[in-house]
Amino acid sequence: MERKAVIWSTAIELLPIPRAYRKEVRRFLKFCVVGTVGFIVDTGLLNGLIFIGGMIPLIAKAISFIAAVTNNFVWNRYWTYPESRSKPLWQQVSQFFVVNTAGLGINLMVFGTASALLIPRLGMKWGVNLSQIIAVGVALFWNFFVNRFWTFNDVP
């Protein structure tokens, strides 16, 4: 076993989690790592489109979110759920995008509401980015659970 895998497995074993749930916790943590990379893609592109490109925040948010979802599908299919191969690729891509389109709706509603409240109080940069963090946090759990039990339900 590779050194990183040993460290990762040891860290999971030290958590106060019943043994039966450790595999799911490992998947959730991987999903969070992938989501963190997606967050960087999403937030970097969001800021570039708004502050360099002069785009309207909600339109920029939709574009940056789609780029992040594409990134996240690839990483989740091949790293978080590598044993998920009984479904055709096109079916998993479709399911992942359906789940994440609903997640986009949740994300945009939270982002729109939070940014309307925060931008006037904190300014554009802080308001946009704090709204981004809140929106991603809310959508995280929807995305994980629905993808786990629908998109990647072929994983034992």
Side-chain angles (χ1 to χ4, degrees):
M1 193 181 299
E2 293 181 24
R3 181 180 170 95
K4 288 180 185 176
V6 169
I7 292 169
W8 183 260
S9 294
T10 302
I12 296 293
E13 294 300 318
L14 294 175
L15 294 173
I17 298 165
R19 187 169 299 280
Y21 298 111
R22 289 185 182 166
K23 195 169 193 176
E24 279 312 309
V25 169
R26 187 175 294 117
R27 286 186 184 121
F28 179 73
L29 293 174
K30 285 182 171 185
F31 190 87
C32 288
V33 168
V34 170
T36 299
V37 172
F39 177 81
I40 292 166
V41 169
D42 193 355
T43 304
L45 189 54
L46 176 70
N47 278 277
L49 292 171
I50 292 171
F51 300 115
I52 296 171
M55 195 174 281
I56 297 168
L58 279 176
I59 293 171
K61 177 65 187 146
I63 293 168
S64 67
F65 189 82
I66 290 167
V69 168
T70 302
N71 172 79
N72 290 359
F73 174 76
V74 171
W75 282 104
N76 279 313
R77 174 152 165 105
Y78 295 104
W79 185 54
T80 308
Y81 300 104
E83 63 271 55
S84 177
R85 295 294 180 276
S86 67
K87 292 181 183 179
L89 178 62
W90 67 268
Q91 183 180 355
Q92 276 189 324
V93 168
S94 299
Q95 289 175 319
F96 195 81
F97 269 86
V98 166
V99 171
N100 285 280
T101 298
L104 173 60
I106 293 166
N107 191 301
L108 289 174
M109 285 190 298
V110 173
F111 180 79
T113 302
S115 64
L117 295 171
L118 296 175
I119 290 171
R121 290 169 178 78
L122 302 175
M124 183 65 99
K125 286 185 182 177
W126 282 103
V128 163
N129 287 295
L130 187 53
S131 297
Q132 167 74 343
I133 291 167
I134 294 167
V136 168
V138 170
L140 166 69
F141 290 98
W142 160 267
N143 287 335
F144 176 74
F145 286 108
V146 178
N147 275 309
R148 173 63 184 101
F149 295 109
W150 186 46
T151 309
F152 300 108
N153 66 352
D154 60 336
V155 174

